Amino acid sequence: MNQLDVKKLAKYWADTASHDYQTMMSLFNSKRYSDSLFYGHLVLEKILKAIVVLKIKGHASPIHNLLVLIQRAEIELSKEDMEFLAEANKFNIRARYPDYKLSFYKLCTFVYTKPRLEKIKSIYKKLC
């Protein structure tokens, strides 16, 4: 992949992460807490894919695991951030599959969601 294509692909991932960030915030503000955390996972996944593309100078793997993406991007985060990314991986699964969806929806109160959303925002800003 040539350098121009790498930059375009990385920009695509970064731009869609930014768009999804706005969606995440809108969902949170409209009290769609489980959906906001699902989008929070997407935000982190996409910004990590932008970094991976720049690192490997090629397409990021079609995976959703934030810990694998961090490893492929060769980024070092604190133990606390890494533990949170492991938790955030569950937001993708729990919000997507029907058998988890209802229990995840019930779990996602304002009190549960707010600090997790703040952590997503913090990590996203570090990665940007």
Side-chain angles (χ1 to χ4, degrees):
M1 182 176 277
N2 68 48
Q3 189 63 22
L4 182 60
D5 289 339
V6 168
K7 286 182 180 179
K8 283 181 182 177
L9 185 56
K11 183 177 180 345
Y12 162 80
W13 285 117
D15 288 350
T16 58
S18 177
H19 178 270
D20 289 349
Y21 184 94
Q22 297 305 316
T23 302
M24 172 188 76
M25 294 308 301
S26 294
L27 288 166
F28 179 77
N29 291 332
S30 63
K31 300 179 182 175
R32 302 276 310 263
Y33 300 131
S34 62
D35 296 325
S36 70
L37 289 176
F38 174 75
Y39 266 85
H41 177 278
L42 287 176
V43 166
L44 295 176
E45 177 184 332
K46 289 177 178 183
I47 197 62
L48 283 169
K49 285 183 176 181
I51 296 166
V52 168
V53 165
L54 292 172
K55 181 71 180 167
I56 68 169
K57 306 209 181 324
H59 289 280
S61 300
I63 60 171
H64 309 292
N65 188 314
L66 302 176
L67 297 174
V68 172
L69 289 167
I70 280 285
Q71 183 180 36
R72 291 187 180 164
E74 297 180 10
I75 295 171
E76 289 190 31
L77 293 176
S78 69
K79 182 180 177 188
E80 177 188 334
D81 285 349
M82 293 299 286
E83 288 171 353
F84 177 76
L85 292 180
E87 179 184 3
N89 274 333
K90 297 174 186 173
F91 303 158
N92 180 40
I93 295 167
R94 288 183 177 162
R96 190 178 297 251
Y97 297 103
D99 50 337
Y100 291 109
K101 211 168 189 170
L102 182 59
S103 62
F104 186 58
Y105 173 79
K106 289 179 180 178
L107 176 66
C108 292
T109 63
F110 175 85
V111 172
Y112 177 86
T113 304
K114 178 75 171 160
R116 286 160 179 83
L117 203 68
E118 292 302 320
K119 189 69 175 173
I120 289 168
K121 290 164 51 176
S122 171
I123 293 173
Y124 175 69
K125 288 176 183 173
K126 284 180 194 177
L127 296 172
C128 284

